[in-house]
Structure formats: C-alpha cells, structure tokens
Amino acid sequence: MNRRKELVQQYLEKKTVAGVYQIKNTRNEKILIDSTKNINTINGKKFMLNFGSHPNKRLQEEWKQYGEESFTFELLEPLKMEDSPYFNAKEALAKLEEKWIHELQPFGDRGYHNNA
C-alpha cells in the first residue's frame, strides 16, 4: 500500500471524540466553556480567534490584547457514547456542557459567558 492510501486509511479509521472543552485566559483566569462533536475542530476555534472572527466578542478582544500564548485549550470531559437507539449525542453533549457551565460558573470576572 502506498503512503497516501495508508494515510487515507488511518484518517478513515480515526475515531472522533465529542466533548466539552474550555478556552482559558492564563493572564486573568477567565474561561469559555464550549462543546464540539469532534475535538479535533478546536484548531478551527484558534483560527477564528487569530482571524478575528470568533462570535464571543469579549474573548476575541482579550485574544487580540494578550495574544495566543496567553490562552490554553483543554478537554474537560469526553462524551461517553452509548450503544442505544434512544441515545441522542447532540442532547447528551448539550447536557454535558450545561453541567460544566453550572460547575465552573464562567460569568462576569470568571469567564466569557453572559449570565442570562
């Protein structure tokens, strides 16, 4: 098998991991909690921030002010998939994100979420 086919095969076999992650400002300890169906898409969030197009304006402003080196991305909890016809991954992911927002309270001086 040539190298290209081998890499394509590896990509197809790679399992995606859904979960909840945080973006943390290491200068002021503010956090943003978010979820994704594929944790590998976090690089897309970095791209958005570097390009100046992230939807969270407060996070975007501080990214521009402090720079990329002042932020960390961390997986807080992967979604445990269930082998059940009643399992709804989208709903489960939303509940998991809600749990972490409730636990970490990323509002006001503690984070980038609106307390609404």
Side-chain angles (χ1 to χ4, degrees):
M1 186 181 298
N2 69 31
R3 181 71 178 144
R4 183 177 185 284
K5 284 184 181 179
E6 185 179 320
L7 290 173
V8 168
Q9 187 63 34
Q10 285 176 0
Y11 174 78
L12 293 173
E13 291 174 359
K14 187 175 183 179
K15 293 191 182 213
T16 58
V17 175
V20 174
Y21 66 95
Q22 74 175 2
I23 302 173
K24 183 176 188 176
N25 183 330
T26 59
R27 295 236 183 153
N28 59 22
E29 302 298 309
K30 286 184 182 179
I31 59 174
L32 177 83
I33 306 297
D34 204 355
S35 60
T36 180
K37 293 185 278 183
N38 183 351
I39 204 68
N40 296 322
T41 63
I42 285 180
N43 286 331
K45 298 294 182 182
K46 286 182 187 177
F47 178 81
M48 289 173 74
L49 286 161
N50 285 323
F51 191 63
S53 63
H54 195 278
N56 187 301
K57 298 304 175 201
R58 289 188 305 154
L59 173 61
Q60 185 65 65
E61 288 169 8
E62 290 190 4
W63 183 276
K64 185 177 178 183
Q65 179 181 358
Y66 298 120
E68 181 177 350
E69 62 280 352
S70 297
F71 291 84
T72 60
F73 289 72
E74 176 187 357
L75 176 63
L76 297 173
E77 185 175 350
L79 178 65
K80 293 174 182 71
M81 299 300 241
E82 295 177 16
D83 191 21
S84 163
Y86 304 108
F87 180 71
N88 183 320
K90 186 176 181 178
E91 285 179 11
L93 195 56
K95 286 179 184 177
L96 192 60
E97 181 179 343
E98 207 173 286
K99 173 192 122 178
W100 279 99
I101 289 173
H102 179 74
E103 184 174 319
L104 298 176
Q105 294 292 305
F107 308 105
D109 291 340
R110 297 181 65 179
Y112 298 102
H113 292 261
N114 293 325
N115 197 5

